[in-house]
Amino acid sequence: MAGTGDANAPRGRTRWGMVTAILSLPALAVGAFLLTMAVWVLVS
């Protein structure tokens, strides 16, 4: 039974890793855009 639990854990981590990788790029892009807008508003 221990083998079953060990087999499920990497799959779950892999799925969450893929979800994180897919969502992190748009999140970074949005964060960079907001940071750029904030700097632009403060400078202008």
Side-chain angles (χ1 to χ4, degrees), residues 4-44:
T4 312
D6 293 338
N8 289 336
R11 287 181 187 170
R13 289 177 190 153
T14 303
R15 287 179 188 164
W16 281 114
M18 289 181 65
V19 169
T20 303
I22 291 171
L23 294 180
S24 64
L25 292 176
L28 287 174
V30 171
F33 175 75
L34 292 177
L35 180 63
T36 303
M37 292 302 294
V39 171
W40 181 69
V41 168
L42 289 173
V43 169
S44 60

